Amino acid sequence: MTPARPLTALTFDLDDTLWDNGQVMAHTETGHYAWLDEALTTWHGARLDTLGRFGERYPLTAYQQRRGELAARHPLRRGDFTWIRAQSLYELLLEYGLEAGEASRWATAAMDEFMTLRHRLTPYVEVEPLLTALGARFRLAAVTNGNVDLTRLPLAHHFPVRIAAGEMHAPKPDARPFLAALSRLHAPPSQAMHVGDSWNEDVLPAQRLGMRVAWIDKRDAGLPARLPGVHRLSHVRELPALLKRLEEAGR
């Protein structure tokens, strides 16, 4: 067997790989929408009898449904979650009865609140020292479908290369965000490993490109299929041990 080329670069998914994103998004989803409803009620008090409360006329489920409809109408932007959310809010606010300028300002304000809440996250305790150690040995990149702005997090300095796949209109499993990261890392796929939690959005596209993959199987689902170069972990903390095994085995 021909030994694998040594790894020189690692690419990382973010949400549910470096932190638990479930509670973050649950709080963010309800929090920014409740903020908008309360702020609007205070702002237009005199018109409340005419317009009614925004959150009563358009409950959270209506907002979620509108986002799905908008993504279907604009398939190229389906992964640009920030735009999808902002545009959905704008449309609902117009229907609610605000003028275009008012609707735009309130949609922007609600998204500011969304982004504030979105970044109230706590990486796993092992992540900071892990990335520090790996950054001394490998070139690192973040490849995410999410709308986290790494520059707002202390982890940003670990990732000189940051690929927001939705904003480039090519959300994973599209190969383009991986290829963009590899190009900027100056690494061929054979010398790179991707680390992520999604089988469909992380494992399969990276493996097809010829990258090695560390799959974070946080739900303990077990490997759906045996694929060359794919290694199952239960937590990102296990990554250094995997890298050491691969190095010792020449794989």
Side-chain angles (χ1 to χ4, degrees):
M1 177 182 294
T2 303
R5 299 178 70 184
L7 291 170
T8 61
L10 301 174
T11 62
F12 285 85
D13 173 57
L14 298 178
D15 292 329
D16 291 316
T17 295
L18 300 185
W19 54 77
D20 187 342
N21 200 49
Q23 287 302 310
V24 174
M25 286 309 300
H27 177 65
T28 301
E29 176 83 336
T30 57
H32 82 292
Y33 207 66
W35 176 91
L36 177 61
D37 177 50
E38 190 63 33
L40 280 174
T41 300
T42 301
W43 171 67
H44 69 46
R47 292 192 288 173
L48 189 60
D49 288 343
T50 302
L51 296 179
R53 284 194 71 122
F54 176 75
E56 292 176 354
R57 288 183 54 191
Y58 298 94
L60 182 60
T61 51
Y63 175 39
Q64 294 166 336
Q65 180 177 340
R66 181 60 57 93
R67 298 201 312 258
E69 295 169 352
L70 196 64
R73 297 203 310 265
H74 301 273
L76 291 179
R77 305 198 73 164
R78 69 190 185 281
D80 190 349
F81 300 126
T82 300
W83 181 85
I84 290 285
R85 285 180 175 276
Q87 184 65 22
S88 296
L89 288 170
Y90 174 71
E91 291 184 4
L92 291 177
L93 288 164
L94 284 179
E95 293 174 14
Y96 175 58
L98 300 191
E99 299 294 332
E102 294 173 339
S104 178
R105 286 192 295 273
W106 279 106
T108 298
M111 286 307 299
D112 287 344
E113 180 69 10
F114 173 91
M115 294 304 285
T116 296
L117 297 174
R118 177 76 167 94
H119 290 85
R120 289 179 184 167
L121 55 86
T122 303
Y124 298 128
V125 66
E126 301 91 347
V127 165
E128 176 65 36
L130 171 72
L131 294 176
T132 297
L134 293 176
R137 299 178 54 205
F138 304 98
R139 297 189 292 276
L140 306 184
V143 182
T144 179
N145 277 358
N147 54 4
V148 161
D149 178 1
L150 267 175
T151 64
R152 299 175 66 160
L153 300 178
L155 296 180
H157 70 281
H158 293 295
F159 296 106
V161 175
R162 306 161 193 159
I163 305 297
E167 293 178 10
M168 65 183 292
H169 299 171
K172 300 180 293 182
D174 195 297
R176 285 174 287 177
F178 295 96
L179 294 172
L182 292 171
S183 175
R184 293 173 61 183
L185 290 168
H186 305 291
S190 61
Q191 290 186 272
M193 171 179 280
H194 182 64
V195 184
D197 71 291
S198 172
W199 182 261
N200 291 324
E201 295 178 356
D202 291 306
V203 176
L204 294 182
Q207 195 268 347
R208 288 177 187 133
L209 287 174
M211 300 174 71
R212 279 160 275 185
V213 184
W215 178 42
I216 311 300
D217 181 15
K218 61 181 298 183
R219 295 176 179 81
D220 196 26
L223 283 168
R226 297 284 178 181
L227 297 176
V230 175
H231 307 274
R232 175 178 171 269
L233 306 177
S234 62
H235 195 282
V236 72
R237 73 171 70 96
E238 300 169 5
L239 181 60
L242 168 63
L243 294 170
K244 182 178 179 181
R245 289 198 305 272
L246 295 178
E247 185 178 11
E248 291 174 348
R251 295 189 288 136

mmCIF file of all heavy atoms in Angstrom, residues 141-185:
data_model
loop_
_atom_site.group_PDB
_atom_site.id
_atom_site.type_symbol
_atom_site.label_atom_id
_atom_site.label_comp_id
_atom_site.label_asym_id
_atom_site.label_seq_id
_atom_site.Cartn_x
_atom_site.Cartn_y
_atom_site.Cartn_z
ATOM 1 N N ALA A 141 -8.427 26.137 8.596
ATOM 2 C CA ALA A 141 -9.489 26.912 7.950
ATOM 3 C C ALA A 141 -10.830 26.530 8.553
ATOM 4 O O ALA A 141 -11.023 25.402 9.018
ATOM 5 C CB ALA A 141 -9.509 26.663 6.446
ATOM 6 N N ALA A 142 -11.759 27.459 8.549
ATOM 7 C CA ALA A 142 -13.142 27.196 8.924
ATOM 8 C C ALA A 142 -13.984 27.169 7.661
ATOM 9 O O ALA A 142 -13.866 28.053 6.810
ATOM 10 C CB ALA A 142 -13.657 28.278 9.869
ATOM 11 N N VAL A 143 -14.821 26.141 7.523
ATOM 12 C CA VAL A 143 -15.726 26.010 6.381
ATOM 13 C C VAL A 143 -17.114 25.748 6.947
ATOM 14 O O VAL A 143 -17.400 24.650 7.430
ATOM 15 C CB VAL A 143 -15.305 24.862 5.437
ATOM 16 C CG1 VAL A 143 -16.245 24.789 4.234
ATOM 17 C CG2 VAL A 143 -13.861 25.028 4.980
ATOM 18 N N THR A 144 -17.982 26.744 6.899
ATOM 19 C CA THR A 144 -19.264 26.629 7.586
ATOM 20 C C THR A 144 -20.428 27.042 6.699
ATOM 21 O O THR A 144 -20.292 27.922 5.849
ATOM 22 C CB THR A 144 -19.258 27.505 8.861
ATOM 23 O OG1 THR A 144 -20.528 27.399 9.514
ATOM 24 C CG2 THR A 144 -18.975 28.969 8.534
ATOM 25 N N ASN A 145 -21.564 26.396 6.920
ATOM 26 C CA ASN A 145 -22.818 26.834 6.311
ATOM 27 C C ASN A 145 -23.521 27.862 7.185
ATOM 28 O O ASN A 145 -24.465 28.509 6.744
ATOM 29 C CB ASN A 145 -23.766 25.638 6.125
ATOM 30 C CG ASN A 145 -23.469 24.856 4.858
ATOM 31 O OD1 ASN A 145 -22.575 25.207 4.087
ATOM 32 N ND2 ASN A 145 -24.199 23.776 4.645
ATOM 33 N N GLY A 146 -23.093 27.982 8.427
ATOM 34 C CA GLY A 146 -23.763 28.868 9.365
ATOM 35 C C GLY A 146 -23.399 30.330 9.144
ATOM 36 O O GLY A 146 -22.540 30.667 8.325
ATOM 37 N N ASN A 147 -24.067 31.208 9.906
ATOM 38 C CA ASN A 147 -23.819 32.636 9.753
ATOM 39 C C ASN A 147 -23.098 33.227 10.960
ATOM 40 O O ASN A 147 -23.231 34.414 11.261
ATOM 41 C CB ASN A 147 -25.111 33.400 9.475
ATOM 42 C CG ASN A 147 -26.194 33.133 10.513
ATOM 43 O OD1 ASN A 147 -25.982 32.437 11.494
ATOM 44 N ND2 ASN A 147 -27.372 33.699 10.287
ATOM 45 N N VAL A 148 -22.322 32.405 11.640
ATOM 46 C CA VAL A 148 -21.458 32.924 12.694
ATOM 47 C C VAL A 148 -20.355 33.762 12.057
ATOM 48 O O VAL A 148 -19.739 33.362 11.064
ATOM 49 C CB VAL A 148 -20.840 31.776 13.515
ATOM 50 C CG1 VAL A 148 -19.621 32.245 14.287
ATOM 51 C CG2 VAL A 148 -21.867 31.218 14.490
ATOM 52 N N ASP A 149 -20.116 34.936 12.629
ATOM 53 C CA ASP A 149 -19.021 35.797 12.195
ATOM 54 C C ASP A 149 -17.855 35.538 13.135
ATOM 55 O O ASP A 149 -17.846 36.006 14.281
ATOM 56 C CB ASP A 149 -19.454 37.262 12.251
ATOM 57 C CG ASP A 149 -18.351 38.226 11.866
ATOM 58 O OD1 ASP A 149 -17.233 37.764 11.530
ATOM 59 O OD2 ASP A 149 -18.592 39.442 11.908
ATOM 60 N N LEU A 150 -16.868 34.791 12.659
ATOM 61 C CA LEU A 150 -15.768 34.399 13.527
ATOM 62 C C LEU A 150 -15.026 35.586 14.122
ATOM 63 O O LEU A 150 -14.437 35.487 15.197
ATOM 64 C CB LEU A 150 -14.782 33.507 12.771
ATOM 65 C CG LEU A 150 -14.995 31.996 12.889
ATOM 66 C CD1 LEU A 150 -14.021 31.250 11.999
ATOM 67 C CD2 LEU A 150 -14.860 31.526 14.331
ATOM 68 N N THR A 151 -15.045 36.716 13.430
ATOM 69 C CA THR A 151 -14.332 37.872 13.958
ATOM 70 C C THR A 151 -14.940 38.372 15.265
ATOM 71 O O THR A 151 -14.302 39.147 15.987
ATOM 72 C CB THR A 151 -14.309 39.030 12.933
ATOM 73 O OG1 THR A 151 -15.646 39.479 12.689
ATOM 74 C CG2 THR A 151 -13.668 38.590 11.635
ATOM 75 N N ARG A 152 -16.156 37.907 15.585
ATOM 76 C CA ARG A 152 -16.792 38.299 16.839
ATOM 77 C C ARG A 152 -16.502 37.312 17.961
ATOM 78 O O ARG A 152 -17.018 37.468 19.071
ATOM 79 C CB ARG A 152 -18.310 38.440 16.629
ATOM 80 C CG ARG A 152 -18.673 39.500 15.620
ATOM 81 C CD ARG A 152 -20.154 39.566 15.318
ATOM 82 N NE ARG A 152 -20.963 39.994 16.453
ATOM 83 C CZ ARG A 152 -22.193 40.487 16.338
ATOM 84 N NH1 ARG A 152 -22.738 40.632 15.130
ATOM 85 N NH2 ARG A 152 -22.889 40.844 17.399
ATOM 86 N N LEU A 153 -15.692 36.300 17.674
ATOM 87 C CA LEU A 153 -15.387 35.281 18.662
ATOM 88 C C LEU A 153 -13.890 35.239 18.951
ATOM 89 O O LEU A 153 -13.069 35.491 18.062
ATOM 90 C CB LEU A 153 -15.835 33.901 18.157
ATOM 91 C CG LEU A 153 -17.328 33.714 17.849
ATOM 92 C CD1 LEU A 153 -17.561 32.309 17.310
ATOM 93 C CD2 LEU A 153 -18.171 33.955 19.091
ATOM 94 N N PRO A 154 -13.496 34.888 20.180
ATOM 95 C CA PRO A 154 -12.071 34.772 20.511
ATOM 96 C C PRO A 154 -11.334 33.723 19.679
ATOM 97 O O PRO A 154 -10.105 33.784 19.555
ATOM 98 C CB PRO A 154 -12.089 34.389 21.996
ATOM 99 C CG PRO A 154 -13.391 34.892 22.516
ATOM 100 C CD PRO A 154 -14.355 34.727 21.376
ATOM 101 N N LEU A 155 -12.059 32.784 19.093
ATOM 102 C CA LEU A 155 -11.422 31.726 18.300
ATOM 103 C C LEU A 155 -10.925 32.215 16.942
ATOM 104 O O LEU A 155 -10.226 31.480 16.241
ATOM 105 C CB LEU A 155 -12.402 30.568 18.064
ATOM 106 C CG LEU A 155 -12.894 29.782 19.273
ATOM 107 C CD1 LEU A 155 -13.848 28.684 18.815
ATOM 108 C CD2 LEU A 155 -11.740 29.185 20.048
ATOM 109 N N ALA A 156 -11.276 33.429 16.562
ATOM 110 C CA ALA A 156 -11.002 33.897 15.202
ATOM 111 C C ALA A 156 -9.541 33.787 14.820
ATOM 112 O O ALA A 156 -9.207 33.440 13.674
ATOM 113 C CB ALA A 156 -11.476 35.336 15.043
ATOM 114 N N HIS A 157 -8.632 34.054 15.760
ATOM 115 C CA HIS A 157 -7.213 34.096 15.396
ATOM 116 C C HIS A 157 -6.660 32.740 14.989
ATOM 117 O O HIS A 157 -5.602 32.659 14.380
ATOM 118 C CB HIS A 157 -6.386 34.668 16.556
ATOM 119 C CG HIS A 157 -6.294 33.765 17.753
ATOM 120 N ND1 HIS A 157 -7.306 33.649 18.682
ATOM 121 C CD2 HIS A 157 -5.311 32.931 18.159
ATOM 122 C CE1 HIS A 157 -6.943 32.795 19.617
ATOM 123 N NE2 HIS A 157 -5.748 32.331 19.328
ATOM 124 N N HIS A 158 -7.391 31.687 15.298
ATOM 125 C CA HIS A 158 -6.932 30.351 14.893
ATOM 126 C C HIS A 158 -7.203 30.073 13.418
ATOM 127 O O HIS A 158 -6.642 29.131 12.853
ATOM 128 C CB HIS A 158 -7.636 29.278 15.729
ATOM 129 C CG HIS A 158 -7.268 29.288 17.175
ATOM 130 N ND1 HIS A 158 -5.998 28.995 17.625
ATOM 131 C CD2 HIS A 158 -8.015 29.582 18.275
ATOM 132 C CE1 HIS A 158 -5.967 29.076 18.944
ATOM 133 N NE2 HIS A 158 -7.179 29.434 19.366
ATOM 134 N N PHE A 159 -8.084 30.858 12.806
ATOM 135 C CA PHE A 159 -8.537 30.566 11.444
ATOM 136 C C PHE A 159 -8.233 31.724 10.501
ATOM 137 O O PHE A 159 -9.098 32.578 10.250
ATOM 138 C CB PHE A 159 -10.037 30.268 11.439
ATOM 139 C CG PHE A 159 -10.428 29.042 12.216
ATOM 140 C CD1 PHE A 159 -11.055 29.150 13.453
ATOM 141 C CD2 PHE A 159 -10.147 27.782 11.710
ATOM 142 C CE1 PHE A 159 -11.405 28.023 14.165
ATOM 143 C CE2 PHE A 159 -10.493 26.646 12.418
ATOM 144 C CZ PHE A 159 -11.122 26.763 13.649
ATOM 145 N N PRO A 160 -7.030 31.768 9.953
ATOM 146 C CA PRO A 160 -6.724 32.803 8.959
ATOM 147 C C PRO A 160 -7.549 32.651 7.687
ATOM 148 O O PRO A 160 -7.735 33.607 6.940
ATOM 149 C CB PRO A 160 -5.229 32.611 8.693
ATOM 150 C CG PRO A 160 -4.950 31.193 9.090
ATOM 151 C CD PRO A 160 -5.876 30.893 10.227
ATOM 152 N N VAL A 161 -8.037 31.431 7.440
ATOM 153 C CA VAL A 161 -8.899 31.177 6.292
ATOM 154 C C VAL A 161 -10.294 30.858 6.809
ATOM 155 O O VAL A 161 -10.474 29.940 7.611
ATOM 156 C CB VAL A 161 -8.367 30.011 5.435
ATOM 157 C CG1 VAL A 161 -9.343 29.671 4.309
ATOM 158 C CG2 VAL A 161 -6.992 30.344 4.868
ATOM 159 N N ARG A 162 -11.287 31.629 6.339
ATOM 160 C CA ARG A 162 -12.675 31.456 6.797
ATOM 161 C C ARG A 162 -13.590 31.465 5.586
ATOM 162 O O ARG A 162 -13.628 32.443 4.848
ATOM 163 C CB ARG A 162 -13.068 32.578 7.750
ATOM 164 C CG ARG A 162 -12.122 32.750 8.933
ATOM 165 C CD ARG A 162 -12.281 34.109 9.567
ATOM 166 N NE ARG A 162 -11.178 34.382 10.482
ATOM 167 C CZ ARG A 162 -10.818 35.594 10.868
ATOM 168 N NH1 ARG A 162 -11.473 36.655 10.397
ATOM 169 N NH2 ARG A 162 -9.817 35.756 11.698
ATOM 170 N N ILE A 163 -14.305 30.383 5.396
ATOM 171 C CA ILE A 163 -15.196 30.245 4.246
ATOM 172 C C ILE A 163 -16.635 30.160 4.738
ATOM 173 O O ILE A 163 -17.018 29.210 5.425
ATOM 174 C CB ILE A 163 -14.867 28.990 3.409
ATOM 175 C CG1 ILE A 163 -13.399 28.996 2.972
ATOM 176 C CG2 ILE A 163 -15.802 28.902 2.211
ATOM 177 C CD1 ILE A 163 -13.008 30.132 2.072
ATOM 178 N N ALA A 164 -17.445 31.171 4.413
ATOM 179 C CA ALA A 164 -18.878 31.168 4.717
ATOM 180 C C ALA A 164 -19.604 30.666 3.466
ATOM 181 O O ALA A 164 -19.863 31.431 2.534
ATOM 182 C CB ALA A 164 -19.347 32.558 5.110
ATOM 183 N N ALA A 165 -19.904 29.388 3.442
ATOM 184 C CA ALA A 165 -20.391 28.749 2.215
ATOM 185 C C ALA A 165 -21.710 29.332 1.730
ATOM 186 O O ALA A 165 -21.929 29.483 0.525
ATOM 187 C CB ALA A 165 -20.523 27.245 2.435
ATOM 188 N N GLY A 166 -22.617 29.665 2.662
ATOM 189 C CA GLY A 166 -23.902 30.221 2.248
ATOM 190 C C GLY A 166 -23.762 31.559 1.571
ATOM 191 O O GLY A 166 -24.461 31.852 0.593
ATOM 192 N N GLU A 167 -22.846 32.384 2.069
ATOM 193 C CA GLU A 167 -22.668 33.708 1.488
ATOM 194 C C GLU A 167 -22.052 33.643 0.096
ATOM 195 O O GLU A 167 -22.226 34.570 -0.702
ATOM 196 C CB GLU A 167 -21.804 34.562 2.417
ATOM 197 C CG GLU A 167 -22.493 34.889 3.732
ATOM 198 C CD GLU A 167 -21.615 35.685 4.669
ATOM 199 O OE1 GLU A 167 -20.543 36.154 4.229
ATOM 200 O OE2 GLU A 167 -21.995 35.833 5.849
ATOM 201 N N MET A 168 -21.331 32.553 -0.209
ATOM 202 C CA MET A 168 -20.797 32.405 -1.562
ATOM 203 C C MET A 168 -21.775 31.646 -2.464
ATOM 204 O O MET A 168 -21.450 31.266 -3.583
ATOM 205 C CB MET A 168 -19.415 31.733 -1.540
ATOM 206 C CG MET A 168 -19.391 30.316 -1.047
ATOM 207 S SD MET A 168 -17.684 29.622 -0.961
ATOM 208 C CE MET A 168 -17.260 29.520 -2.697
ATOM 209 N N HIS A 169 -23.015 31.458 -1.938
ATOM 210 C CA HIS A 169 -24.102 30.812 -2.690
ATOM 211 C C HIS A 169 -23.724 29.392 -3.109
ATOM 212 O O HIS A 169 -24.125 28.914 -4.174
ATOM 213 C CB HIS A 169 -24.495 31.650 -3.914
ATOM 214 C CG HIS A 169 -24.983 33.014 -3.568
ATOM 215 N ND1 HIS A 169 -25.219 33.987 -4.512
ATOM 216 C CD2 HIS A 169 -25.286 33.585 -2.371
ATOM 217 C CE1 HIS A 169 -25.628 35.096 -3.916
ATOM 218 N NE2 HIS A 169 -25.677 34.875 -2.615
ATOM 219 N N ALA A 170 -22.971 28.728 -2.258
ATOM 220 C CA ALA A 170 -22.568 27.351 -2.537
ATOM 221 C C ALA A 170 -22.499 26.585 -1.217
ATOM 222 O O ALA A 170 -21.422 26.119 -0.814
ATOM 223 C CB ALA A 170 -21.225 27.321 -3.249
ATOM 224 N N PRO A 171 -23.630 26.449 -0.501
ATOM 225 C CA PRO A 171 -23.584 25.768 0.792
ATOM 226 C C PRO A 171 -23.163 24.317 0.655
ATOM 227 O O PRO A 171 -23.457 23.650 -0.339
ATOM 228 C CB PRO A 171 -25.017 25.893 1.311
ATOM 229 C CG PRO A 171 -25.861 26.066 0.091
ATOM 230 C CD PRO A 171 -25.005 26.853 -0.871
ATOM 231 N N LYS A 172 -22.435 23.836 1.664
ATOM 232 C CA LYS A 172 -22.131 22.410 1.699
ATOM 233 C C LYS A 172 -23.440 21.624 1.603
ATOM 234 O O LYS A 172 -24.436 22.049 2.177
ATOM 235 C CB LYS A 172 -21.414 22.064 3.020
ATOM 236 C CG LYS A 172 -20.107 22.777 3.237
ATOM 237 C CD LYS A 172 -19.447 22.391 4.565
ATOM 238 C CE LYS A 172 -20.243 22.871 5.763
ATOM 239 N NZ LYS A 172 -19.593 22.536 7.052
ATOM 240 N N PRO A 173 -23.463 20.547 0.842
ATOM 241 C CA PRO A 173 -22.364 19.706 0.362
ATOM 242 C C PRO A 173 -21.719 20.113 -0.965
ATOM 243 O O PRO A 173 -20.983 19.310 -1.549
ATOM 244 C CB PRO A 173 -23.024 18.334 0.223
ATOM 245 C CG PRO A 173 -24.440 18.657 -0.161
ATOM 246 C CD PRO A 173 -24.772 19.895 0.636
ATOM 247 N N ASP A 174 -21.988 21.305 -1.463
ATOM 248 C CA ASP A 174 -21.292 21.772 -2.653
ATOM 249 C C ASP A 174 -19.788 21.693 -2.420
ATOM 250 O O ASP A 174 -19.294 22.008 -1.331
ATOM 251 C CB ASP A 174 -21.710 23.216 -2.940
ATOM 252 C CG ASP A 174 -21.342 23.669 -4.345
ATOM 253 O OD1 ASP A 174 -20.133 23.704 -4.654
ATOM 254 O OD2 ASP A 174 -22.252 23.993 -5.125
ATOM 255 N N ALA A 175 -19.059 21.302 -3.421
ATOM 256 C CA ALA A 175 -17.604 21.152 -3.282
ATOM 257 C C ALA A 175 -16.879 22.485 -3.238
ATOM 258 O O ALA A 175 -15.744 22.564 -2.746
ATOM 259 C CB ALA A 175 -17.055 20.316 -4.442
ATOM 260 N N ARG A 176 -17.509 23.545 -3.728
ATOM 261 C CA ARG A 176 -16.783 24.804 -3.896
ATOM 262 C C ARG A 176 -16.236 25.411 -2.609
ATOM 263 O O ARG A 176 -15.100 25.913 -2.613
ATOM 264 C CB ARG A 176 -17.661 25.813 -4.646
ATOM 265 C CG ARG A 176 -17.757 25.516 -6.133
ATOM 266 C CD ARG A 176 -18.749 26.433 -6.823
ATOM 267 N NE ARG A 176 -20.121 26.072 -6.495
ATOM 268 C CZ ARG A 176 -21.188 26.745 -6.924
ATOM 269 N NH1 ARG A 176 -21.024 27.832 -7.675
ATOM 270 N NH2 ARG A 176 -22.404 26.344 -6.612
ATOM 271 N N PRO A 177 -16.959 25.379 -1.477
ATOM 272 C CA PRO A 177 -16.338 25.938 -0.275
ATOM 273 C C PRO A 177 -15.104 25.169 0.179
ATOM 274 O O PRO A 177 -14.136 25.760 0.668
ATOM 275 C CB PRO A 177 -17.454 25.892 0.765
ATOM 276 C CG PRO A 177 -18.483 24.984 0.218
ATOM 277 C CD PRO A 177 -18.372 25.043 -1.262
ATOM 278 N N PHE A 178 -15.118 23.851 -0.003
ATOM 279 C CA PHE A 178 -13.935 23.063 0.337
ATOM 280 C C PHE A 178 -12.769 23.426 -0.584
ATOM 281 O O PHE A 178 -11.636 23.607 -0.125
ATOM 282 C CB PHE A 178 -14.246 21.568 0.221
ATOM 283 C CG PHE A 178 -15.274 21.073 1.197
ATOM 284 C CD1 PHE A 178 -16.603 20.962 0.829
ATOM 285 C CD2 PHE A 178 -14.910 20.713 2.485
ATOM 286 C CE1 PHE A 178 -17.556 20.511 1.718
ATOM 287 C CE2 PHE A 178 -15.857 20.252 3.395
ATOM 288 C CZ PHE A 178 -17.185 20.159 3.012
ATOM 289 N N LEU A 179 -13.062 23.527 -1.863
ATOM 290 C CA LEU A 179 -12.010 23.865 -2.818
ATOM 291 C C LEU A 179 -11.454 25.261 -2.574
ATOM 292 O O LEU A 179 -10.244 25.496 -2.714
ATOM 293 C CB LEU A 179 -12.547 23.745 -4.244
ATOM 294 C CG LEU A 179 -12.913 22.333 -4.700
ATOM 295 C CD1 LEU A 179 -13.619 22.370 -6.059
ATOM 296 C CD2 LEU A 179 -11.668 21.451 -4.774
ATOM 297 N N ALA A 180 -12.331 26.196 -2.184
ATOM 298 C CA ALA A 180 -11.866 27.542 -1.877
ATOM 299 C C ALA A 180 -10.925 27.529 -0.680
ATOM 300 O O ALA A 180 -9.889 28.200 -0.674
ATOM 301 C CB ALA A 180 -13.057 28.458 -1.612
ATOM 302 N N ALA A 181 -11.295 26.758 0.337
ATOM 303 C CA ALA A 181 -10.433 26.661 1.515
ATOM 304 C C ALA A 181 -9.094 26.023 1.169
ATOM 305 O O ALA A 181 -8.032 26.512 1.578
ATOM 306 C CB ALA A 181 -11.137 25.856 2.604
ATOM 307 N N LEU A 182 -9.120 24.945 0.422
ATOM 308 C CA LEU A 182 -7.880 24.256 0.053
ATOM 309 C C LEU A 182 -6.975 25.170 -0.767
ATOM 310 O O LEU A 182 -5.749 25.174 -0.585
ATOM 311 C CB LEU A 182 -8.199 22.977 -0.718
ATOM 312 C CG LEU A 182 -8.891 21.873 0.093
ATOM 313 C CD1 LEU A 182 -9.345 20.752 -0.833
ATOM 314 C CD2 LEU A 182 -7.957 21.331 1.179
ATOM 315 N N SER A 183 -7.569 25.936 -1.660
ATOM 316 C CA SER A 183 -6.772 26.849 -2.477
ATOM 317 C C SER A 183 -6.066 27.875 -1.603
ATOM 318 O O SER A 183 -4.866 28.153 -1.782
ATOM 319 C CB SER A 183 -7.666 27.541 -3.506
ATOM 320 O OG SER A 183 -6.950 28.513 -4.239
ATOM 321 N N ARG A 184 -6.794 28.433 -0.653
ATOM 322 C CA ARG A 184 -6.209 29.463 0.202
ATOM 323 C C ARG A 184 -5.236 28.874 1.217
ATOM 324 O O ARG A 184 -4.343 29.575 1.723
ATOM 325 C CB ARG A 184 -7.314 30.253 0.891
ATOM 326 C CG ARG A 184 -8.139 31.086 -0.091
ATOM 327 C CD ARG A 184 -9.335 31.745 0.546
ATOM 328 N NE ARG A 184 -8.946 32.662 1.614
ATOM 329 C CZ ARG A 184 -9.830 33.316 2.374
ATOM 330 N NH1 ARG A 184 -11.131 33.150 2.159
ATOM 331 N NH2 ARG A 184 -9.410 34.121 3.325
ATOM 332 N N LEU A 185 -5.382 27.597 1.514
ATOM 333 C CA LEU A 185 -4.446 26.921 2.410
ATOM 334 C C LEU A 185 -3.218 26.392 1.667
ATOM 335 O O LEU A 185 -2.277 25.908 2.298
ATOM 336 C CB LEU A 185 -5.136 25.740 3.105
ATOM 337 C CG LEU A 185 -6.206 26.087 4.142
ATOM 338 C CD1 LEU A 185 -6.983 24.840 4.525
ATOM 339 C CD2 LEU A 185 -5.591 26.742 5.370
#
